PDB file of all heavy atoms in Angstrom:
ATOM      1  N   LEU B   1      19.606 -45.100  38.743  1.00  0.00           N
ATOM      2  CA  LEU B   1      20.702 -44.879  37.816  1.00  0.00           C
ATOM      3  C   LEU B   1      20.158 -44.358  36.485  1.00  0.00           C
ATOM      4  O   LEU B   1      19.267 -44.964  35.887  1.00  0.00           O
ATOM      5  CB  LEU B   1      21.457 -46.194  37.594  1.00  0.00           C
ATOM      6  CG  LEU B   1      22.801 -46.120  36.874  1.00  0.00           C
ATOM      7  CD1 LEU B   1      23.782 -45.256  37.654  1.00  0.00           C
ATOM      8  CD2 LEU B   1      23.371 -47.520  36.694  1.00  0.00           C
ATOM      9  N   ARG B   2      20.673 -43.229  36.021  1.00  0.00           N
ATOM     10  CA  ARG B   2      20.209 -42.637  34.751  1.00  0.00           C
ATOM     11  C   ARG B   2      21.151 -43.073  33.629  1.00  0.00           C
ATOM     12  O   ARG B   2      22.318 -42.672  33.594  1.00  0.00           O
ATOM     13  CB  ARG B   2      20.167 -41.117  34.855  1.00  0.00           C
ATOM     14  CG  ARG B   2      19.142 -40.610  35.848  1.00  0.00           C
ATOM     15  CD  ARG B   2      19.132 -39.085  35.899  1.00  0.00           C
ATOM     16  NE  ARG B   2      18.788 -38.512  34.618  1.00  0.00           N
ATOM     17  CZ  ARG B   2      17.525 -38.290  34.219  1.00  0.00           C
ATOM     18  NH1 ARG B   2      16.511 -38.612  35.004  1.00  0.00           N
ATOM     19  NH2 ARG B   2      17.281 -37.748  33.045  1.00  0.00           N
ATOM     20  N   TYR B   3      20.637 -43.877  32.741  1.00  0.00           N
ATOM     21  CA  TYR B   3      21.454 -44.378  31.644  1.00  0.00           C
ATOM     22  C   TYR B   3      21.572 -43.334  30.538  1.00  0.00           C
ATOM     23  O   TYR B   3      20.643 -42.562  30.292  1.00  0.00           O
ATOM     24  CB  TYR B   3      20.854 -45.663  31.072  1.00  0.00           C
ATOM     25  CG  TYR B   3      20.723 -46.770  32.092  1.00  0.00           C
ATOM     26  CD1 TYR B   3      19.476 -47.274  32.446  1.00  0.00           C
ATOM     27  CD2 TYR B   3      21.845 -47.315  32.716  1.00  0.00           C
ATOM     28  CE1 TYR B   3      19.344 -48.277  33.382  1.00  0.00           C
ATOM     29  CE2 TYR B   3      21.729 -48.320  33.660  1.00  0.00           C
ATOM     30  CZ  TYR B   3      20.471 -48.794  33.993  1.00  0.00           C
ATOM     31  OH  TYR B   3      20.344 -49.796  34.918  1.00  0.00           O
ATOM     32  N   ASP B   4      22.711 -43.323  29.876  1.00  0.00           N
ATOM     33  CA  ASP B   4      22.963 -42.396  28.762  1.00  0.00           C
ATOM     34  C   ASP B   4      22.847 -43.182  27.452  1.00  0.00           C
ATOM     35  O   ASP B   4      23.704 -43.991  27.125  1.00  0.00           O
ATOM     36  CB  ASP B   4      24.372 -41.798  28.899  1.00  0.00           C
ATOM     37  CG  ASP B   4      24.633 -40.700  27.868  1.00  0.00           C
ATOM     38  OD1 ASP B   4      24.053 -40.758  26.762  1.00  0.00           O
ATOM     39  OD2 ASP B   4      25.428 -39.791  28.161  1.00  0.00           O
ATOM     40  N   TYR B   5      21.768 -42.915  26.728  1.00  0.00           N
ATOM     41  CA  TYR B   5      21.485 -43.676  25.506  1.00  0.00           C
ATOM     42  C   TYR B   5      21.878 -42.934  24.227  1.00  0.00           C
ATOM     43  O   TYR B   5      21.461 -43.317  23.132  1.00  0.00           O
ATOM     44  CB  TYR B   5      19.996 -44.015  25.433  1.00  0.00           C
ATOM     45  CG  TYR B   5      19.524 -44.961  26.512  1.00  0.00           C
ATOM     46  CD1 TYR B   5      18.350 -44.691  27.219  1.00  0.00           C
ATOM     47  CD2 TYR B   5      20.228 -46.121  26.816  1.00  0.00           C
ATOM     48  CE1 TYR B   5      17.893 -45.560  28.206  1.00  0.00           C
ATOM     49  CE2 TYR B   5      19.786 -46.993  27.798  1.00  0.00           C
ATOM     50  CZ  TYR B   5      18.614 -46.702  28.487  1.00  0.00           C
ATOM     51  OH  TYR B   5      18.168 -47.568  29.455  1.00  0.00           O
ATOM     52  N   SER B   6      22.651 -41.872  24.347  1.00  0.00           N
ATOM     53  CA  SER B   6      22.949 -41.044  23.166  1.00  0.00           C
ATOM     54  C   SER B   6      23.691 -41.837  22.086  1.00  0.00           C
ATOM     55  O   SER B   6      23.416 -41.677  20.883  1.00  0.00           O
ATOM     56  CB  SER B   6      23.770 -39.818  23.575  1.00  0.00           C
ATOM     57  OG  SER B   6      24.949 -40.204  24.274  1.00  0.00           O
ATOM     58  N   ILE B   7      24.608 -42.708  22.478  1.00  0.00           N
ATOM     59  CA  ILE B   7      25.365 -43.495  21.493  1.00  0.00           C
ATOM     60  C   ILE B   7      24.475 -44.588  20.904  1.00  0.00           C
ATOM     61  O   ILE B   7      24.510 -44.854  19.694  1.00  0.00           O
ATOM     62  CB  ILE B   7      26.627 -44.104  22.127  1.00  0.00           C
ATOM     63  CG1 ILE B   7      27.471 -43.020  22.789  1.00  0.00           C
ATOM     64  CG2 ILE B   7      27.456 -44.845  21.079  1.00  0.00           C
ATOM     65  CD1 ILE B   7      28.566 -43.548  23.693  1.00  0.00           C
ATOM     66  N   ALA B   8      23.653 -45.207  21.738  1.00  0.00           N
ATOM     67  CA  ALA B   8      22.725 -46.233  21.256  1.00  0.00           C
ATOM     68  C   ALA B   8      21.783 -45.655  20.205  1.00  0.00           C
ATOM     69  O   ALA B   8      21.469 -46.317  19.203  1.00  0.00           O
ATOM     70  CB  ALA B   8      21.937 -46.822  22.421  1.00  0.00           C
ATOM     71  N   LYS B   9      21.328 -44.428  20.399  1.00  0.00           N
ATOM     72  CA  LYS B   9      20.431 -43.801  19.426  1.00  0.00           C
ATOM     73  C   LYS B   9      21.125 -43.622  18.076  1.00  0.00           C
ATOM     74  O   LYS B   9      20.535 -43.871  17.019  1.00  0.00           O
ATOM     75  CB  LYS B   9      19.966 -42.436  19.947  1.00  0.00           C
ATOM     76  CG  LYS B   9      19.013 -42.514  21.120  1.00  0.00           C
ATOM     77  CD  LYS B   9      18.660 -41.121  21.629  1.00  0.00           C
ATOM     78  CE  LYS B   9      17.745 -41.189  22.846  1.00  0.00           C
ATOM     79  NZ  LYS B   9      17.419 -39.833  23.380  1.00  0.00           N
ATOM     80  N   LEU B  10      22.388 -43.201  18.098  1.00  0.00           N
ATOM     81  CA  LEU B  10      23.132 -43.032  16.851  1.00  0.00           C
ATOM     82  C   LEU B  10      23.262 -44.360  16.105  1.00  0.00           C
ATOM     83  O   LEU B  10      23.064 -44.433  14.880  1.00  0.00           O
ATOM     84  CB  LEU B  10      24.519 -42.453  17.141  1.00  0.00           C
ATOM     85  CG  LEU B  10      24.572 -41.012  17.640  1.00  0.00           C
ATOM     86  CD1 LEU B  10      26.006 -40.637  18.028  1.00  0.00           C
ATOM     87  CD2 LEU B  10      24.047 -40.041  16.591  1.00  0.00           C
ATOM     88  N   PHE B  11      23.595 -45.412  16.833  1.00  0.00           N
ATOM     89  CA  PHE B  11      23.731 -46.718  16.181  1.00  0.00           C
ATOM     90  C   PHE B  11      22.380 -47.264  15.714  1.00  0.00           C
ATOM     91  O   PHE B  11      22.326 -48.006  14.730  1.00  0.00           O
ATOM     92  CB  PHE B  11      24.428 -47.718  17.116  1.00  0.00           C
ATOM     93  CG  PHE B  11      25.926 -47.651  17.045  1.00  0.00           C
ATOM     94  CD1 PHE B  11      26.665 -47.116  18.086  1.00  0.00           C
ATOM     95  CD2 PHE B  11      26.611 -48.128  15.927  1.00  0.00           C
ATOM     96  CE1 PHE B  11      28.051 -47.050  18.025  1.00  0.00           C
ATOM     97  CE2 PHE B  11      27.996 -48.071  15.858  1.00  0.00           C
ATOM     98  CZ  PHE B  11      28.724 -47.531  16.900  1.00  0.00           C
ATOM     99  N   LEU B  12      21.296 -46.903  16.403  1.00  0.00           N
ATOM    100  CA  LEU B  12      19.969 -47.299  15.934  1.00  0.00           C
ATOM    101  C   LEU B  12      19.687 -46.696  14.557  1.00  0.00           C
ATOM    102  O   LEU B  12      19.224 -47.392  13.640  1.00  0.00           O
ATOM    103  CB  LEU B  12      18.902 -46.844  16.936  1.00  0.00           C
ATOM    104  CG  LEU B  12      17.445 -47.056  16.493  1.00  0.00           C
ATOM    105  CD1 LEU B  12      17.100 -48.539  16.433  1.00  0.00           C
ATOM    106  CD2 LEU B  12      16.483 -46.331  17.453  1.00  0.00           C
ATOM    107  N   PHE B  13      19.998 -45.415  14.393  1.00  0.00           N
ATOM    108  CA  PHE B  13      19.794 -44.769  13.094  1.00  0.00           C
ATOM    109  C   PHE B  13      20.691 -45.392  12.020  1.00  0.00           C
ATOM    110  O   PHE B  13      20.287 -45.555  10.870  1.00  0.00           O
ATOM    111  CB  PHE B  13      20.061 -43.258  13.202  1.00  0.00           C
ATOM    112  CG  PHE B  13      19.134 -42.543  14.142  1.00  0.00           C
ATOM    113  CD1 PHE B  13      19.597 -41.533  14.974  1.00  0.00           C
ATOM    114  CD2 PHE B  13      17.791 -42.888  14.219  1.00  0.00           C
ATOM    115  CE1 PHE B  13      18.742 -40.875  15.851  1.00  0.00           C
ATOM    116  CE2 PHE B  13      16.928 -42.232  15.089  1.00  0.00           C
ATOM    117  CZ  PHE B  13      17.402 -41.222  15.915  1.00  0.00           C
ATOM    118  N   ALA B  14      21.915 -45.749  12.411  1.00  0.00           N
ATOM    119  CA  ALA B  14      22.831 -46.400  11.469  1.00  0.00           C
ATOM    120  C   ALA B  14      22.297 -47.778  11.057  1.00  0.00           C
ATOM    121  O   ALA B  14      22.385 -48.166   9.886  1.00  0.00           O
ATOM    122  CB  ALA B  14      24.224 -46.538  12.091  1.00  0.00           C
ATOM    123  N   THR B  15      21.738 -48.513  12.017  1.00  0.00           N
ATOM    124  CA  THR B  15      21.169 -49.835  11.719  1.00  0.00           C
ATOM    125  C   THR B  15      20.098 -49.728  10.651  1.00  0.00           C
ATOM    126  O   THR B  15      20.084 -50.502   9.670  1.00  0.00           O
ATOM    127  CB  THR B  15      20.558 -50.449  13.000  1.00  0.00           C
ATOM    128  OG1 THR B  15      21.565 -50.534  14.007  1.00  0.00           O
ATOM    129  CG2 THR B  15      19.992 -51.835  12.726  1.00  0.00           C
ATOM    130  N   ILE B  16      19.193 -48.786  10.820  1.00  0.00           N
ATOM    131  CA  ILE B  16      18.099 -48.616   9.859  1.00  0.00           C
ATOM    132  C   ILE B  16      18.630 -48.173   8.506  1.00  0.00           C
ATOM    133  O   ILE B  16      18.239 -48.706   7.457  1.00  0.00           O
ATOM    134  CB  ILE B  16      17.078 -47.599  10.414  1.00  0.00           C
ATOM    135  CG1 ILE B  16      16.401 -48.177  11.661  1.00  0.00           C
ATOM    136  CG2 ILE B  16      16.047 -47.238   9.353  1.00  0.00           C
ATOM    137  CD1 ILE B  16      15.553 -47.184  12.415  1.00  0.00           C
ATOM    138  N   THR B  17      19.561 -47.228   8.508  1.00  0.00           N
ATOM    139  CA  THR B  17      20.107 -46.705   7.247  1.00  0.00           C
ATOM    140  C   THR B  17      20.834 -47.787   6.462  1.00  0.00           C
ATOM    141  O   THR B  17      20.582 -47.985   5.263  1.00  0.00           O
ATOM    142  CB  THR B  17      21.078 -45.532   7.531  1.00  0.00           C
ATOM    143  OG1 THR B  17      20.379 -44.508   8.249  1.00  0.00           O
ATOM    144  CG2 THR B  17      21.626 -44.965   6.231  1.00  0.00           C
ATOM    145  N   PHE B  18      21.738 -48.501   7.120  1.00  0.00           N
ATOM    146  CA  PHE B  18      22.486 -49.546   6.421  1.00  0.00           C
ATOM    147  C   PHE B  18      21.592 -50.726   6.048  1.00  0.00           C
ATOM    148  O   PHE B  18      21.855 -51.425   5.064  1.00  0.00           O
ATOM    149  CB  PHE B  18      23.674 -50.009   7.264  1.00  0.00           C
ATOM    150  CG  PHE B  18      24.769 -48.986   7.369  1.00  0.00           C
ATOM    151  CD1 PHE B  18      25.262 -48.587   8.603  1.00  0.00           C
ATOM    152  CD2 PHE B  18      25.307 -48.404   6.225  1.00  0.00           C
ATOM    153  CE1 PHE B  18      26.270 -47.641   8.694  1.00  0.00           C
ATOM    154  CE2 PHE B  18      26.318 -47.458   6.309  1.00  0.00           C
ATOM    155  CZ  PHE B  18      26.796 -47.070   7.548  1.00  0.00           C
ATOM    156  N   GLY B  19      20.538 -50.947   6.841  1.00  0.00           N
ATOM    157  CA  GLY B  19      19.582 -51.983   6.482  1.00  0.00           C
ATOM    158  C   GLY B  19      18.911 -51.678   5.164  1.00  0.00           C
ATOM    159  O   GLY B  19      18.814 -52.550   4.276  1.00  0.00           O
ATOM    160  N   ILE B  20      18.452 -50.457   4.997  1.00  0.00           N
ATOM    161  CA  ILE B  20      17.794 -50.061   3.741  1.00  0.00           C
ATOM    162  C   ILE B  20      18.777 -50.130   2.576  1.00  0.00           C
ATOM    163  O   ILE B  20      18.463 -50.675   1.502  1.00  0.00           O
ATOM    164  CB  ILE B  20      17.199 -48.641   3.874  1.00  0.00           C
ATOM    165  CG1 ILE B  20      16.012 -48.664   4.844  1.00  0.00           C
ATOM    166  CG2 ILE B  20      16.759 -48.113   2.508  1.00  0.00           C
ATOM    167  CD1 ILE B  20      15.460 -47.298   5.162  1.00  0.00           C
ATOM    168  N   ILE B  21      19.995 -49.601   2.770  1.00  0.00           N
ATOM    169  CA  ILE B  21      20.996 -49.608   1.692  1.00  0.00           C
ATOM    170  C   ILE B  21      21.357 -51.035   1.297  1.00  0.00           C
ATOM    171  O   ILE B  21      21.345 -51.396   0.114  1.00  0.00           O
ATOM    172  CB  ILE B  21      22.259 -48.833   2.121  1.00  0.00           C
ATOM    173  CG1 ILE B  21      21.949 -47.341   2.280  1.00  0.00           C
ATOM    174  CG2 ILE B  21      23.389 -49.034   1.094  1.00  0.00           C
ATOM    175  CD1 ILE B  21      23.081 -46.542   2.913  1.00  0.00           C
ATOM    176  N   GLY B  22      21.694 -51.866   2.292  1.00  0.00           N
ATOM    177  CA  GLY B  22      22.105 -53.235   2.008  1.00  0.00           C
ATOM    178  C   GLY B  22      21.009 -54.044   1.339  1.00  0.00           C
ATOM    179  O   GLY B  22      21.258 -54.775   0.369  1.00  0.00           O
ATOM    180  N   LEU B  23      19.773 -53.902   1.830  1.00  0.00           N
ATOM    181  CA  LEU B  23      18.660 -54.653   1.250  1.00  0.00           C
ATOM    182  C   LEU B  23      18.316 -54.143  -0.145  1.00  0.00           C
ATOM    183  O   LEU B  23      18.005 -54.940  -1.046  1.00  0.00           O
ATOM    184  CB  LEU B  23      17.438 -54.562   2.162  1.00  0.00           C
ATOM    185  CG  LEU B  23      17.536 -55.322   3.490  1.00  0.00           C
ATOM    186  CD1 LEU B  23      16.349 -54.976   4.395  1.00  0.00           C
ATOM    187  CD2 LEU B  23      17.590 -56.827   3.251  1.00  0.00           C
ATOM    188  N   LEU B  24      18.353 -52.833  -0.347  1.00  0.00           N
ATOM    189  CA  LEU B  24      18.039 -52.276  -1.659  1.00  0.00           C
ATOM    190  C   LEU B  24      19.016 -52.777  -2.716  1.00  0.00           C
ATOM    191  O   LEU B  24      18.606 -53.192  -3.820  1.00  0.00           O
ATOM    192  CB  LEU B  24      18.064 -50.742  -1.595  1.00  0.00           C
ATOM    193  CG  LEU B  24      17.795 -50.012  -2.916  1.00  0.00           C
ATOM    194  CD1 LEU B  24      16.419 -50.358  -3.465  1.00  0.00           C
ATOM    195  CD2 LEU B  24      17.932 -48.496  -2.729  1.00  0.00           C
ATOM    196  N   ILE B  25      20.303 -52.765  -2.392  1.00  0.00           N
ATOM    197  CA  ILE B  25      21.299 -53.269  -3.340  1.00  0.00           C
ATOM    198  C   ILE B  25      21.082 -54.765  -3.578  1.00  0.00           C
ATOM    199  O   ILE B  25      21.200 -55.257  -4.704  1.00  0.00           O
ATOM    200  CB  ILE B  25      22.729 -52.989  -2.844  1.00  0.00           C
ATOM    201  CG1 ILE B  25      22.979 -51.480  -2.769  1.00  0.00           C
ATOM    202  CG2 ILE B  25      23.763 -53.640  -3.769  1.00  0.00           C
ATOM    203  CD1 ILE B  25      24.302 -51.097  -2.139  1.00  0.00           C
TER     204      ILE B  25
END
């Protein structure tokens, strides 16, 4: 079975971005 991780990748980038923003503030 070939899994489609395209949405997971987008949320991974969002996790890192919001992590930096939230922690910086």
Side-chain angles (χ1 to χ4, degrees):
L1 192 61
R2 294 181 61 87
Y3 301 117
D4 187 330
Y5 294 134
S6 55
I7 306 167
K9 290 177 182 178
L10 292 174
F11 274 108
L12 173 68
F13 298 141
T15 302
I16 294 170
T17 302
F18 289 127
I20 291 173
I21 293 171
L23 290 171
L24 178 60
I25 296 173

